Amino acid sequence: LSHYEYFLAESKKQSSNTDTQILEEIGKANFRFGMVQKLLGQSDVAREAYNEARNLQERLVKQSPENIARIEALTDTLNAIGGLASQSEDYTNALDAFEQSHRYRLELVAKDPSQLKYQRLACNTLMNIGLAKFSLGRIEEGMADWVQSQDQRQLLSERFGPSEKLHKDIARGWYNMTKYTNTIKDPKQTKKYSALAVDSYSKAIEL
């Protein structure tokens, strides 16, 4: 067996373990392994590792639905699955993974609204949902998600104050919205969103 085949085989053997701490570590290891394999261009291996992580993490969240760390780990895996599917132009499965991730990320926001990180990640996943819909030809729905995400980010900026990561998120949001204005051939709005993206990136660099 190659290294990755051995890793996945051993991971599956341990999946029946009842020690939740061990299962958490196996889930994290599968997630990290999937990220590495994605970077190496091994999409099929990455997908299998992500799915192994997801199966374990879903079990753990079901056992302890109030455990924030477990929910966060699951949302990261679901988002990674969506990103990998998008990379393969499998936008239907990407949308499904992103929507599941978004539901869990909204749970995190509800459990701890004082955390900017959870609010940011929920907005980012909503932006990903919009991208998947856009790629599926559901252009107006995708744009509506982008607008909602940007509105929420602006409110977060007012509530939490200057944040480099948030300003970069906002900049990427404006850039994504140029995809819509280019599609409907609206150069005026494209110019406006492009300028807003540059301004947001400039603010992030200054922080």
Side-chain angles (χ1 to χ4, degrees):
L1 290 175
S2 67
H3 173 70
Y4 69 79
E5 288 173 327
Y6 177 79
F7 175 87
L8 290 172
E10 288 301 306
S11 174
K12 289 176 181 178
K13 288 180 185 178
Q14 290 292 328
S15 64
S16 59
N17 199 308
T18 56
D19 188 318
T20 56
Q21 188 172 356
I22 290 176
L23 293 178
E24 284 181 11
E25 291 305 315
I26 294 173
K28 290 176 184 177
N30 270 292
F31 173 73
R32 290 192 293 267
F33 187 72
M35 292 181 68
V36 171
Q37 293 305 312
K38 179 185 176 183
L39 290 173
L40 293 174
Q42 301 292 328
S43 297
D44 290 341
V45 182
R47 186 177 300 107
E48 187 173 357
Y50 285 150
N51 284 330
E52 282 295 314
R54 174 186 188 172
N55 291 336
L56 288 173
Q57 291 163 346
E58 284 179 338
R59 280 171 53 191
L60 291 167
V61 168
K62 188 175 182 179
Q63 289 175 12
S64 302
E66 298 302 316
N67 190 308
I68 288 180
R70 290 182 182 180
I71 297 173
E72 185 174 0
L74 176 57
T75 66
D76 290 342
T77 298
L78 288 168
N79 226 52
I81 290 171
L84 187 63
S86 292
Q87 183 177 294
S88 304
E89 298 184 355
D90 180 5
Y91 298 114
T92 299
N93 282 323
L95 178 58
D96 179 64
F98 286 139
E99 287 181 333
Q100 290 185 59
S101 177
H102 189 242
R103 285 194 291 272
Y104 281 115
R105 285 185 164 169
L106 289 179
E107 282 189 30
L108 289 174
V109 170
K111 292 179 188 300
D112 191 355
S114 67
Q115 288 289 333
L116 173 59
K117 175 185 177 182
Y118 297 151
Q119 309 247 13
R120 279 187 51 248
L121 292 178
C123 290
N124 291 352
T125 303
L126 181 57
M127 186 66 67
N128 288 337
I129 289 171
L131 283 167
K133 288 179 180 177
F134 188 89
S135 299
L136 287 168
R138 296 160 58 179
I139 297 173
E140 297 296 335
E141 290 180 56
M143 183 59 172
D145 287 333
W146 293 340
V147 170
Q148 183 181 347
S149 179
Q150 287 296 87
D151 288 346
Q152 291 173 356
R153 286 166 171 165
Q154 297 288 355
L155 290 174
L156 291 177
S157 181
E158 293 173 9
R159 176 183 171 190
F160 289 95
S163 164
E164 179 183 356
K165 289 182 178 180
L166 181 57
H167 279 302
K168 286 182 178 179
D169 292 343
I170 293 171
R172 282 190 287 269
W174 292 130
Y175 172 75
N176 285 334
M177 290 168 73
T178 65
K179 298 177 187 291
Y180 173 79
T181 53
N182 280 328
T183 299
I184 65 172
K185 296 180 172 54
D186 187 342
K188 184 177 180 180
Q189 283 296 97
T190 298
K191 183 177 180 181
K192 173 187 173 182
Y193 292 144
S194 296
L196 287 169
V198 171
D199 180 63
S200 293
Y201 269 121
S202 297
K203 289 179 180 177
I205 293 171
E206 291 171 0
L207 294 173

